[in-house]
Amino acid sequence: MNTDASSRLRKLGSRTAGPGRPVFVTGEIGINHNGELDNAIALIDVAAEAGCDAVKFQKRTPEICTPRDQWDIERDTPWGRMKYIDYRHRVEFGEDEYRAIDEHCKEKGIAWFASPWDTEAVAFLEKFESIPAHKVASASLTDDELLRALRATGRTVILSTGMSTPKQIRHAVEVLGSENILLCHATSTYPAKAEELNLRVINTLQNEFPNVPIGYSGHETGLQTTLAAVALGATFVERHITLDRAMWGSDQAASVEPQGLTRLVRDIRTIEASLGDGVKKVYESELGPMKKLRRVAGVVAEADAAQD
């Protein structure tokens, strides 16, 4: 198995994700746009201004992804009471909306991609040559047909591992092939409790899949734990974003608002800069304090000076 540093690098459009590269930060819009293109455009602007590398959506074919026995169940929505299948269509964007999203992202200099939930959605997304990757939602990790369709695209595939056992994860990696995937640790609760995030799984995945970059897809409230994931070595970070957590929708409460997203990206960049290369050295900036504060040079320092 190839375990050199380059084997853990993945192309994501014009960027490269992996150890030693800047953390690839994605703002997960999902369906927090509530089926309104204006909301999606506003969220793209928020992500671009915060410094995110990409935004992500979700793409479903409602008749495939909605169980038939749920189609006619009525539910209350912001647009009145409607059948569930009609609601699923109401929050789903079509080609016209995604063309507008594609154009706006190009103008803003930010990438976009999506999580397809069925093979028809994969074919739909493949119409857009600019997308840097496909994402497998945690709920789809066990869908071998979908995984094979994604592998066949030849694009980088980002695989979230929430609600999945180690055995299921290993099988999904076998189906996708490890050469072109990026694994994300995740806990699929919205919002997730801190004590159930189990961030050390990032290191477990690093050890088990030494030729695969490991990222983090967070659904918690707050920012500290996502920053901790970066400190543990996550090379990719995804968080749900929203214009307002009080908006209607099941994912809004576990999402980051604009000001929080700006802080998150800023702090991720500070952390990755501070992690360094792990090689202990005396910095030039330390020479002045050393001369002023170190009373005894020590035998090692004297020996080093004699060799220079």
Side-chain angles (χ1 to χ4, degrees), residues 15 109 149 151 164 244:
R15 310 290 177 89
R151 181 174 183 171
S164 303
D244 186 339

Side-chain angles (χ1 to χ4, degrees), residues 187-188 193 227 301:
T187 300
S188 298
K193 301 175 183 177
L227 298 173

Side-chain angles (χ1 to χ4, degrees), residues 8 35 39 45-46 48 55 71 76 96 118 144 178 190-191 201 308:
R8 264 192 163 162
N39 287 342
D45 290 345
V46 164
V55 292
W71 285 18
D76 293 320
D96 288 345
D118 55 83
D144 285 5
S178 63
Y190 303 83
V201 172
D308 292 340

Side-chain angles (χ1 to χ4, degrees), residues 252-272:
Q252 308 285 3
S255 300
V256 180
E257 292 178 325
Q259 288 185 330
L261 184 62
T262 297
R263 292 197 303 273
L264 178 64
V265 177
R266 178 200 67 194
D267 291 348
I268 284 174
R269 301 306 176 210
T270 299
I271 288 171
E272 65 187 10

Side-chain angles (χ1 to χ4, degrees), residues 70-110:
Q70 295 182 24
W71 285 18
D72 297 328
I73 296 175
E74 293 193 349
R75 62 180 293 172
D76 293 320
T77 76
W79 313 282
R81 193 164 179 82
M82 62 175 64
K83 293 180 180 179
Y84 188 53
I85 189 67
D86 294 332
Y87 160 75
R88 294 305 329 174
H89 277 287
R90 180 64 180 76
V91 297
E92 200 64 52
F93 285 154
E95 187 167 347
D96 288 345
E97 289 85 358
Y98 274 110
R99 291 292 174 195
I101 285 167
D102 188 56
E103 185 63 32
H104 192 71
C105 285
K106 288 175 181 176
E107 291 174 3
K108 291 293 181 177
I110 188 171

Side-chain angles (χ1 to χ4, degrees), residues 175-229:
V175 174
L176 284 169
S178 63
E179 297 81 11
N180 205 30
I181 65 169
L182 188 154
L183 280 177
C184 282
H185 171 52
T187 300
S188 298
T189 312
Y190 303 83
K193 301 175 183 177
E195 59 269 27
E196 294 182 351
L197 294 180
N198 201 7
L199 294 178
R200 288 195 176 97
V201 172
I202 292 170
N203 300 137
T204 301
L205 292 172
Q206 288 169 338
N207 292 331
E208 177 153 1
F209 302 99
N211 63 330
V212 176
I214 307 301
Y216 178 65
S217 179
H219 307 112
E220 67 270 32
T221 56
L223 308 178
Q224 311 97 315
T225 44
T226 300
L227 298 173

Side-chain angles (χ1 to χ4, degrees), residues 250-293:
S250 59
D251 291 341
Q252 308 285 3
S255 300
V256 180
E257 292 178 325
Q259 288 185 330
L261 184 62
T262 297
R263 292 197 303 273
L264 178 64
V265 177
R266 178 200 67 194
D267 291 348
I268 284 174
R269 301 306 176 210
T270 299
I271 288 171
E272 65 187 10
S274 70
L275 288 173
D277 58 10
V279 178
K280 181 60 180 171
K281 59 181 73 72
V282 177
Y283 290 95
E284 187 174 349
S285 62
E286 295 180 290
L287 297 178
M290 182 170 63
K291 184 176 181 181
K292 179 180 179 181
L293 300 174

